[in-house]
Amino acid sequence: MKHLCVGDLVREHSCVEGRDESLETNILDEDKLLDAMEPMIQDAEEEGVGCVVDFHVCEIFPERWFDLVLVLRTDTEILYDRLTSRGYSDHKRSENMESEIMQVILEEAREAYDRNIVHEVRSNTVEEMEANVQRVEQWVAQWMQDNNVTEDDNNIDNE
């Protein structure tokens, strides 16, 4: 499997079209990002391996790219502490908190993809995160079986 860390790809391929100073974040050039990722996805498909696409939004990606979409969820008290420890400004923290409360990412995923492939997973505690890893390992094993991928092909390469 190939791991595509989209944040890294955004930096490597300069997929930024500006900056939102109020949120202290770059504005993503979605078209440039998708153009950069398309050959990576195609190469993985031709090689008969899957991709793990790791990013904080999903609705920008074509549905055909995914067999599974995981939306990580966190209780707001825990999220608040995590964002504070990362040094987020009050405004940025407030936007993230509102997004979590309103289930924005989960709803966007459900609207963009077949509801059967979208799964909400809790990530409040280390135990939940470890259980999520085990669950993903089970999904990957099933995907490999369904797609006739051997164990040798299962080594995750970071792009």
Side-chain angles (χ1 to χ4, degrees), residues 135-153:
R135 191 171 172 190
V136 168
E137 287 173 343
Q138 291 170 348
W139 276 321
V140 168
Q142 186 63 53
W143 182 89
M144 290 174 54
Q145 182 179 343
D146 294 346
N147 291 278
N148 297 316
V149 176
T150 66
E151 191 66 32
D152 292 337
D153 297 323

Side-chain angles (χ1 to χ4, degrees), residues 18-146:
R19 179 127 178 107
D20 182 334
E21 292 302 333
S22 70
L23 291 176
E24 302 170 3
T25 190
N26 291 323
I27 299 169
L28 178 63
D29 184 335
E30 294 176 12
D31 291 333
K32 190 171 185 180
L33 174 63
L34 295 176
D35 288 346
M37 290 181 66
E38 183 75 38
M40 296 174 197
I41 300 290
Q42 287 176 344
D43 288 348
E45 188 175 331
E46 289 169 8
E47 294 168 15
V49 297
C51 287
V52 174
V53 178
D54 180 0
F55 201 43
H56 60 275
V57 299
C58 60
E59 82 284 353
I60 65 172
F61 303 112
E63 184 174 8
R64 62 184 159 73
W65 284 6
F66 300 111
D67 296 311
L68 175 68
V69 175
L70 301 178
V71 178
L72 301 177
R73 301 293 312 279
T74 303
D75 290 341
T76 54
E77 305 82 32
I78 294 168
L79 180 61
Y80 182 90
D81 292 343
R82 286 180 186 171
L83 299 177
T84 300
S85 71
R86 292 180 190 167
Y88 280 31
S89 69
D90 289 342
H91 179 65
K92 187 171 183 174
R93 186 175 49 231
S94 176
E95 288 286 321
N96 278 267
M97 294 292 294
E98 183 177 322
S99 177
E100 183 65 22
I101 291 166
M102 301 301 292
Q103 301 183 41
V104 171
I105 304 302
L106 180 60
E107 291 307 314
E108 287 175 349
R110 288 177 174 161
E111 290 173 11
Y113 305 101
D114 181 324
R115 290 174 92 75
N116 294 322
I117 70 166
V118 177
H119 298 270
E120 176 181 3
V121 292
R122 308 301 297 172
S123 64
N124 292 309
T125 65
V126 171
E127 292 80 17
E128 286 179 340
M129 292 177 205
E130 289 172 353
N132 291 339
V133 169
Q134 290 176 350
R135 191 171 172 190
V136 168
E137 287 173 343
Q138 291 170 348
W139 276 321
V140 168
Q142 186 63 53
W143 182 89
M144 290 174 54
Q145 182 179 343
D146 294 346

